[in-house]
Coordinates of all heavy atoms in Angstrom, one line a residue:
M1 N -13.2 21.0 30.1 CA -12.4 21.1 28.9 C -12.5 19.8 28.1 O -12.2 18.7 28.7 CB -11.0 21.6 29.2 CG -10.2 21.8 28.0 SD -8.7 22.7 28.4 CE -7.5 21.4 28.7
E2 N -12.8 19.9 26.8 CA -12.8 18.7 26.1 C -11.4 18.4 25.4 O -10.7 19.3 25.0 CB -13.8 18.8 24.9 CG -14.0 17.6 24.1 CD -15.1 17.8 23.1 OE1 -16.1 18.5 23.3 OE2 -15.0 17.3 22.0
M3 N -11.0 17.1 25.6 CA -9.7 16.7 25.0 C -9.8 16.3 23.6 O -10.9 15.7 23.1 CB -9.1 15.5 25.8 CG -8.9 15.7 27.2 SD -7.7 16.9 27.6 CE -6.2 16.0 27.2
T4 N -8.9 16.6 22.7 CA -8.9 16.3 21.3 C -7.9 15.2 21.1 O -6.8 15.1 21.7 CB -8.7 17.5 20.4 OG1 -7.4 18.0 20.7 CG2 -9.7 18.5 20.5
K5 N -8.1 14.3 20.1 CA -7.3 13.3 19.7 C -6.5 13.6 18.4 O -7.1 14.2 17.4 CB -8.1 12.0 19.5 CG -7.2 10.8 19.0 CD -8.1 9.6 18.8 CE -7.3 8.4 18.4 NZ -8.1 7.3 18.1
T6 N -5.2 13.5 18.4 CA -4.4 13.8 17.2 C -4.2 12.6 16.5 O -3.7 11.5 17.1 CB -3.1 14.4 17.7 OG1 -3.3 15.6 18.4 CG2 -2.3 14.7 16.4
V7 N -4.5 12.5 15.2 CA -4.4 11.3 14.4 C -3.3 11.5 13.5 O -3.3 12.5 12.7 CB -5.7 10.9 13.7 CG1 -5.5 9.7 12.7 CG2 -6.9 10.7 14.6
S8 N -2.3 10.8 13.4 CA -1.2 10.8 12.4 C -1.7 9.9 11.2 O -1.6 8.8 11.2 CB 0.1 10.2 13.0 OG 1.0 10.3 12.1
K9 N -2.1 10.6 10.1 CA -2.4 9.9 8.9 C -1.3 9.4 8.2 O -0.6 10.2 7.5 CB -3.4 10.7 8.1 CG -4.7 11.0 8.7 CD -5.6 11.8 7.8 CE -7.0 12.1 8.5 NZ -7.8 12.8 7.6
S10 N -1.0 8.1 8.3 CA 0.2 7.5 7.5 C -0.2 6.1 7.1 O -1.2 5.6 7.7 CB 1.4 7.5 8.4 OG 1.2 6.6 9.5
C11 N 0.5 5.6 6.1 CA 0.1 4.2 5.7 C 0.2 3.3 6.9 O -0.5 2.4 7.0 CB 1.2 3.8 4.6 SG 0.8 4.6 3.0
A12 N 1.3 3.4 7.7 CA 1.5 2.5 8.9 C 0.2 2.5 9.8 O -0.1 1.4 10.4 CB 2.7 2.8 9.7
A13 N -0.6 3.6 9.9 CA -1.7 3.7 10.8 C -3.1 3.4 10.0 O -4.1 3.4 10.6 CB -1.8 5.0 11.4
C14 N -2.9 3.0 8.7 CA -4.1 2.8 7.8 C -4.6 1.4 7.9 O -3.8 0.4 7.9 CB -3.8 3.3 6.5 SG -5.2 3.1 5.3
A15 N -6.0 1.2 7.9 CA -6.5 -0.1 8.0 C -6.3 -0.9 6.6 O -6.3 -2.1 6.6 CB -8.1 0.0 8.2
H16 N -5.9 -0.2 5.6 CA -5.7 -0.8 4.3 C -4.3 -1.3 4.0 O -3.9 -1.8 2.9 CB -6.1 0.1 3.2 CG -7.6 0.5 3.2 ND1 -8.6 -0.3 3.0 CD2 -8.1 1.7 3.5 CE1 -9.8 0.3 3.1 NE2 -9.5 1.5 3.4
W17 N -3.4 -1.0 4.9 CA -2.0 -1.2 4.7 C -1.5 -2.5 5.4 O -1.8 -2.8 6.5 CB -1.2 -0.1 5.3 CG 0.2 0.1 4.9 CD1 0.7 0.4 3.6 CD2 1.4 -0.1 5.6 NE1 2.0 0.4 3.5 CE2 2.5 0.1 4.8 CE3 1.7 -0.5 6.9 CZ2 3.9 0.1 5.2 CZ3 2.9 -0.5 7.4 CH2 4.1 -0.2 6.5
N18 N -0.7 -3.3 4.7 CA -0.1 -4.5 5.2 C 1.4 -4.5 5.1 O 2.0 -4.4 4.1 CB -0.6 -5.7 4.3 CG -0.1 -7.0 4.7 OD1 -0.1 -7.4 5.9 ND2 0.3 -7.8 3.8
R19 N 2.0 -4.5 6.4 CA 3.5 -4.4 6.4 C 4.1 -5.7 5.8 O 3.6 -6.7 6.1 CB 3.9 -4.2 7.9 CG 5.5 -4.1 8.0 CD 5.9 -3.9 9.4 NE 5.3 -2.8 10.1 CZ 5.7 -1.6 10.0 NH1 6.6 -1.2 9.2 NH2 5.0 -0.6 10.6
V20 N 5.1 -5.4 5.0 CA 5.8 -6.6 4.3 C 7.1 -6.8 4.9 O 7.5 -7.9 5.4 CB 5.9 -6.4 2.8 CG1 6.7 -7.4 2.1 CG2 4.5 -6.2 2.2
E21 N 8.0 -5.7 4.9 CA 9.3 -5.9 5.4 C 9.9 -4.5 5.8 O 9.7 -3.5 5.0 CB 10.3 -6.4 4.3 CG 11.7 -6.8 4.7 CD 12.5 -7.3 3.6 OE1 12.0 -8.2 2.9 OE2 13.7 -7.0 3.5
G22 N 10.5 -4.4 7.0 CA 11.0 -3.2 7.4 C 10.0 -2.1 7.5 O 8.9 -2.2 8.1
S23 N 10.2 -1.0 6.8 CA 9.3 0.2 6.7 C 8.4 0.2 5.5 O 7.7 1.1 5.2 CB 10.0 1.5 6.8 OG 10.8 1.7 5.8
E24 N 8.5 -1.0 4.7 CA 7.6 -1.0 3.5 C 6.4 -2.0 3.7 O 6.5 -2.9 4.4 CB 8.4 -1.6 2.3 CG 9.5 -0.6 1.9 CD 10.2 -1.0 0.6 OE1 10.3 -2.3 0.4 OE2 10.8 -0.2 -0.1
G25 N 5.3 -1.7 2.9 CA 4.1 -2.5 3.0 C 3.3 -2.3 1.8 O 3.7 -1.6 0.8
E26 N 2.2 -3.1 1.7 CA 1.4 -3.1 0.5 C 0.1 -2.3 0.8 O -0.5 -2.4 1.9 CB 1.0 -4.6 0.2 CG 2.1 -5.5 -0.1 CD 1.6 -6.9 -0.2 OE1 0.7 -7.3 0.6 OE2 2.2 -7.7 -1.0
C27 N -0.3 -1.5 -0.1 CA -1.5 -0.7 0.0 C -2.6 -1.6 -0.6 O -2.5 -1.9 -1.8 CB -1.4 0.6 -0.7 SG -3.0 1.5 -0.7
R28 N -3.6 -2.0 0.2 CA -4.6 -2.9 -0.3 C -6.0 -2.2 -0.3 O -7.0 -3.0 -0.2 CB -4.7 -4.1 0.7 CG -3.3 -4.9 0.6 CD -3.5 -6.2 1.4 NE -2.3 -7.0 1.0 CZ -2.3 -8.3 0.9 NH1 -3.5 -8.9 1.1 NH2 -1.3 -9.0 0.5
V29 N -6.0 -0.9 -0.6 CA -7.2 -0.2 -0.6 C -7.9 -0.5 -1.9 O -9.2 -0.5 -2.1 CB -7.1 1.3 -0.5 CG1 -6.4 1.9 -1.7 CG2 -8.4 2.0 -0.2
R30 N -7.2 -1.0 -3.0 CA -7.8 -1.3 -4.3 C -7.3 -2.8 -4.7 O -6.4 -3.2 -4.1 CB -7.3 -0.4 -5.4 CG -7.7 1.1 -5.1 CD -9.0 1.4 -5.8 NE -9.3 2.8 -5.5 CZ -10.2 3.2 -4.5 NH1 -10.8 2.4 -3.8 NH2 -10.5 4.5 -4.4
A31 N -7.8 -3.3 -5.7 CA -7.3 -4.7 -6.2 C -5.9 -4.5 -6.6 O -5.4 -3.4 -7.0 CB -8.2 -5.0 -7.3
P32 N -5.2 -5.6 -6.7 CA -3.8 -5.6 -7.1 C -3.7 -5.1 -8.6 O -4.7 -5.4 -9.3 CB -3.3 -7.1 -7.1 CG -4.4 -7.8 -6.4 CD -5.6 -7.0 -6.3
Q33 N -2.6 -4.5 -8.9 CA -2.3 -4.0 -10.3 C -1.6 -5.0 -11.1 O -0.7 -5.7 -10.6 CB -1.7 -2.7 -10.2 CG -2.4 -1.6 -9.5 CD -1.6 -0.3 -9.3 OE1 -0.4 -0.3 -9.5 NE2 -2.2 0.7 -8.7
T34 N -1.9 -5.1 -12.4 CA -1.2 -6.0 -13.3 C 0.1 -5.3 -13.8 O 0.1 -4.2 -14.2 CB -2.1 -6.4 -14.5 OG1 -3.3 -7.0 -14.0 CG2 -1.3 -7.3 -15.4
V35 N 1.2 -6.0 -13.7 CA 2.5 -5.6 -14.3 C 2.9 -6.5 -15.4 O 2.8 -7.7 -15.2 CB 3.5 -5.6 -13.2 CG1 4.9 -5.2 -13.7 CG2 3.1 -4.7 -12.0
V36 N 3.2 -5.8 -16.5 CA 3.6 -6.7 -17.7 C 5.1 -6.5 -17.9 O 5.6 -5.3 -17.9 CB 2.8 -6.3 -19.0 CG1 3.3 -7.0 -20.1 CG2 1.4 -6.3 -18.7
F37 N 5.8 -7.6 -18.1 CA 7.2 -7.5 -18.4 C 7.6 -8.6 -19.4 O 6.9 -9.6 -19.6 CB 8.1 -7.6 -17.2 CG 7.9 -8.7 -16.3 CD1 8.7 -9.9 -16.4 CD2 6.8 -8.7 -15.4 CE1 8.4 -11.0 -15.6 CE2 6.6 -9.8 -14.6 CZ 7.4 -10.9 -14.7
K38 N 8.7 -8.4 -20.0 CA 9.2 -9.4 -21.1 C 10.4 -10.1 -20.6 O 11.4 -9.5 -20.2 CB 9.4 -8.7 -22.4 CG 9.6 -9.6 -23.5 CD 9.6 -8.8 -24.8 CE 9.7 -9.8 -26.1 NZ 9.5 -9.1 -27.3
V39 N 10.4 -11.4 -20.7 CA 11.6 -12.3 -20.4 C 11.7 -13.4 -21.5 O 10.7 -14.1 -21.7 CB 11.4 -13.0 -19.0 CG1 12.6 -13.8 -18.7 CG2 11.2 -11.9 -17.9
D40 N 12.9 -13.5 -22.1 CA 13.1 -14.6 -23.1 C 12.1 -14.6 -24.2 O 11.5 -15.7 -24.4 CB 13.3 -15.9 -22.4 CG 14.5 -15.9 -21.4 OD1 15.5 -15.2 -21.7 OD2 14.4 -16.6 -20.4
D41 N 11.8 -13.5 -24.8 CA 10.7 -13.5 -25.9 C 9.4 -13.9 -25.4 O 8.5 -14.2 -26.3 CB 11.2 -14.3 -27.1 CG 12.4 -13.7 -27.7 OD1 12.7 -12.5 -27.6 OD2 13.3 -14.6 -28.2
E42 N 9.1 -14.0 -24.2 CA 7.7 -14.3 -23.7 C 7.3 -13.1 -22.8 O 8.0 -12.6 -22.1 CB 7.8 -15.6 -22.9 CG 8.0 -16.8 -23.7 CD 7.8 -18.0 -22.8 OE1 7.0 -18.1 -21.8 OE2 8.6 -19.0 -23.0
T43 N 6.0 -12.8 -23.0 CA 5.4 -11.8 -22.1 C 5.0 -12.4 -20.8 O 4.2 -13.4 -20.8 CB 4.2 -11.1 -22.8 OG1 4.7 -10.5 -24.1 CG2 3.6 -10.0 -22.0
Q44 N 5.4 -11.8 -19.7 CA 5.0 -12.3 -18.4 C 4.0 -11.3 -17.7 O 4.2 -10.1 -17.9 CB 6.2 -12.5 -17.6 CG 7.2 -13.4 -18.2 CD 6.9 -14.9 -18.2 OE1 6.3 -15.3 -17.1 NE2 7.1 -15.6 -19.2
F45 N 3.2 -11.8 -16.9 CA 2.2 -10.9 -16.2 C 2.3 -11.3 -14.7 O 2.6 -12.4 -14.3 CB 0.7 -11.3 -16.6 CG 0.4 -10.9 -18.0 CD1 0.6 -11.9 -19.1 CD2 0.0 -9.6 -18.4 CE1 0.3 -11.5 -20.3 CE2 -0.3 -9.3 -19.6 CZ -0.2 -10.2 -20.6
E46 N 2.2 -10.2 -13.9 CA 2.2 -10.5 -12.4 C 1.2 -9.4 -11.9 O 1.1 -8.3 -12.4 CB 3.6 -10.2 -11.9 CG 3.7 -10.5 -10.4 CD 5.1 -10.3 -9.9 OE1 6.0 -10.0 -10.6 OE2 5.3 -10.4 -8.7
T47 N 0.5 -9.8 -10.8 CA -0.3 -8.9 -10.2 C 0.2 -8.5 -8.8 O 0.6 -9.5 -8.1 CB -1.8 -9.4 -10.1 OG1 -1.8 -10.6 -9.3 CG2 -2.5 -9.5 -11.4
I48 N 0.4 -7.3 -8.5 CA 1.0 -6.8 -7.2 C 0.1 -5.7 -6.6 O -0.5 -5.0 -7.3 CB 2.4 -6.4 -7.4 CG1 2.6 -5.3 -8.3 CG2 3.3 -7.6 -7.7 CD1 3.9 -4.7 -8.4
F49 N 0.2 -5.6 -5.3 CA -0.3 -4.4 -4.6 C 0.8 -3.4 -4.6 O 2.0 -3.7 -4.6 CB -0.7 -4.8 -3.2 CG -1.9 -5.6 -3.0 CD1 -1.8 -6.9 -2.8 CD2 -3.2 -5.1 -3.1 CE1 -2.9 -7.8 -2.7 CE2 -4.3 -5.9 -3.0 CZ -4.2 -7.2 -2.8
P50 N 0.4 -2.1 -4.8 CA 1.4 -1.0 -4.7 C 2.2 -1.1 -3.3 O 1.6 -1.2 -2.3 CB 0.6 0.2 -4.8 CG -0.7 -0.1 -5.4 CD -0.9 -1.5 -4.9
V51 N 3.5 -0.9 -3.4 CA 4.4 -0.9 -2.3 C 4.6 0.5 -1.8 O 4.9 1.3 -2.7 CB 5.7 -1.6 -2.5 CG1 6.6 -1.4 -1.2 CG2 5.4 -3.0 -2.9
T52 N 4.3 0.8 -0.6 CA 4.5 2.2 0.0 C 5.3 2.1 1.2 O 5.5 1.1 1.9 CB 3.1 2.9 0.3 OG1 2.5 2.1 1.4 CG2 2.2 2.9 -0.9
S53 N 5.8 3.3 1.6 CA 6.6 3.4 2.9 C 5.6 3.7 4.0 O 4.5 4.2 3.8 CB 7.6 4.6 2.8 OG 8.1 4.8 4.0
E54 N 6.0 3.2 5.2 CA 5.1 3.4 6.4 C 4.7 4.9 6.6 O 3.6 5.2 7.2 CB 5.6 2.8 7.6 CG 6.9 3.4 8.1 CD 7.5 2.6 9.3 OE1 6.9 1.6 9.8 OE2 8.5 3.1 9.7
S55 N 5.6 5.8 6.2 CA 5.4 7.2 6.4 C 4.6 7.9 5.2 O 4.2 9.1 5.4 CB 6.6 7.9 6.6 OG 7.5 7.9 5.4
D56 N 4.3 7.2 4.2 CA 3.5 7.8 3.1 C 2.0 7.9 3.5 O 1.6 7.3 4.5 CB 3.6 6.8 1.8 CG 4.9 6.8 1.2 OD1 5.7 7.8 1.4 OD2 5.2 5.9 0.4
W57 N 1.2 8.5 2.8 CA -0.2 8.6 3.0 C -0.9 9.1 1.8 O -0.3 9.6 0.8 CB -0.5 9.7 4.2 CG -0.1 11.0 3.9 CD1 1.1 11.5 4.0 CD2 -0.9 12.1 3.3 NE1 1.2 12.9 3.7 CE2 0.0 13.2 3.2 CE3 -2.1 12.2 3.0 CZ2 -0.5 14.4 2.6 CZ3 -2.6 13.4 2.4 CH2 -1.8 14.5 2.3
C58 N -2.3 8.9 1.8 CA -3.0 9.3 0.6 C -4.4 9.7 1.1 O -4.7 9.6 2.3 CB -3.2 8.2 -0.4 SG -4.2 6.9 0.1
G59 N -5.3 10.1 0.2 CA -6.6 10.5 0.6 C -7.6 9.3 0.9 O -8.7 9.6 1.3
E60 N -7.2 8.1 0.8 CA -8.0 7.0 1.1 C -7.8 6.5 2.6 O -8.3 5.4 3.0 CB -7.7 5.8 0.2 CG -7.9 6.1 -1.3 CD -9.4 6.3 -1.7 OE1 -10.2 5.6 -1.0 OE2 -9.6 6.8 -2.7
Y61 N -7.1 7.2 3.4 CA -6.7 6.8 4.7 C -8.0 6.4 5.6 O -8.9 7.1 5.5 CB -6.0 7.9 5.4 CG -5.7 7.6 6.9 CD1 -4.7 6.8 7.3 CD2 -6.6 8.1 7.9 CE1 -4.4 6.5 8.7 CE2 -6.3 7.9 9.2 CZ -5.3 7.0 9.6 OH -5.0 6.8 10.9
V62 N -8.0 5.2 6.2 CA -9.0 4.9 7.1 C -8.3 4.4 8.4 O -7.4 3.5 8.3 CB -9.8 3.6 6.6 CG1 -10.7 3.1 7.6 CG2 -10.6 4.1 5.3
E63 N -8.7 4.9 9.5 CA -8.0 4.6 10.8 C -8.2 3.2 11.1 O -9.3 2.6 11.0 CB -8.6 5.5 11.9 CG -7.8 5.4 13.2 CD -8.3 6.4 14.2 OE1 -9.1 7.3 13.9 OE2 -7.9 6.2 15.4
A64 N -7.1 2.5 11.4 CA -7.0 1.1 11.8 C -7.7 0.9 13.2 O -7.7 1.6 14.0 CB -5.7 0.5 11.7

């Protein structure tokens, strides 16, 4: 009888995910995204990776 392996596809088990704090982490499957916001009449830019929960998942999952 052949044994099968059950894989739980979640961000926490993905090779592209980087835990940041608690159950949250950064999805690093793509380049960081630019976020634009305004402070004191100046436009500010910041680049960040999308933050996801360890239990989230998507179609880009790669087993770590």
